[in-house]
Amino acid sequence: MELFNYFRSSASYRVRIALALKGLAYDYKSVHLQKNEQTAESYSAVSASRLVPLLKDGDAYVHQSLAIIEYLDETYPAPPLLPNDPLARARARALALDIACEIHPLNNLRVLRYLVNSLGVDEDAKNRWYKHWVETGLEAVERQLAAVPTRYCVGDTPGLADCVLVPQIFNAQR
């Protein structure tokens, strides 16, 4: 198994957490986003989206962190990253999507670069913009977690929502 990823990518970090929770070994394939290695022909040949992470498992390629995590959970079911209960599973997915779709896209490298390079936003304004969306999104997640308190995001063991939340909190502290 190979994971094409970038060490500072929160989406890549999610998948590394899931792999660690499942105890799965993988080869770390670095794609340095700051150096634009994702646009190189060699990477474009395996990743049409030119994004990280990308998981290669045998002949299969899976991109998008949440799809990779669910693929891992279905292919390597122990320990499970999604609860058995349908409502708890929906809650875990909703929390993960709140983070992956509502917070992460607004503060990833290509969006922040666009703000500065294409729209001419200065560094201070970019940082205020970033901080506003991260705080707003994490406050919503915090309210949801407080409404149904458990040891981890959903239940007594770490799972999908935890894999997505941890990297976002790490990034928010930068």
Side-chain angles (χ1 to χ4, degrees):
M1 192 174 326
E2 298 175 339
L3 181 64
F4 296 83
N5 68 122
Y6 179 55
F7 75 102
R8 288 185 55 195
S9 160
S10 57
S12 295
Y13 192 0
R14 296 171 192 156
V15 175
R16 293 192 306 268
I17 292 170
L19 287 162
L21 288 172
K22 291 194 164 286
L24 296 172
Y26 63 94
D27 291 327
Y28 186 106
K29 302 292 185 178
S30 177
V31 179
H32 201 296
L33 300 181
Q34 294 276 355
K35 296 178 182 176
N36 293 316
E37 290 179 358
Q38 72 276 17
T39 62
E41 280 188 44
S42 59
Y43 188 63
S44 297
V46 294
S47 176
S49 69
R50 296 180 176 177
L51 299 172
V52 294
L54 173 72
L55 180 76
K56 181 179 187 288
D57 188 18
D59 292 333
Y61 286 89
V62 184
H63 73 287
Q64 289 293 345
S65 62
L66 295 181
I68 294 169
I69 293 169
E70 289 213 31
Y71 168 82
L72 292 171
D73 212 34
E74 292 168 4
T75 309
Y76 306 94
L81 298 176
L82 284 165
N84 286 330
D85 175 68
L87 184 58
R89 224 174 19 253
R91 185 166 183 265
R93 285 186 175 119
L95 283 164
L97 289 168
D98 279 340
I99 298 160
C101 297
E102 302 296 330
I103 301 170
H104 176 254
L106 298 174
N107 64 59
N108 75 24
L109 181 60
R110 66 185 179 154
V111 171
L112 297 175
R113 279 182 174 168
Y114 183 79
L115 286 171
V116 172
N117 298 335
S118 296
L119 298 180
V121 173
D122 66 49
E123 197 68 22
D124 185 54
K126 178 196 79 170
N127 290 336
R128 283 194 322 272
W129 188 84
Y130 169 87
K131 184 178 179 192
H132 168 78
W133 291 114
V134 170
E135 286 178 356
T136 300
L138 288 176
E139 286 168 0
V141 169
E142 189 172 8
R143 286 190 301 272
Q144 292 175 64
L145 294 173
V148 184
T150 56
R151 183 171 181 193
Y152 292 94
C153 287
V154 180
D156 294 328
T157 58
L160 172 67
D162 304 281
C163 291
V164 178
L165 178 60
V166 168
Q168 208 60 58
I169 291 173
F170 178 79
N171 282 348
Q173 295 175 5
R174 290 193 282 147

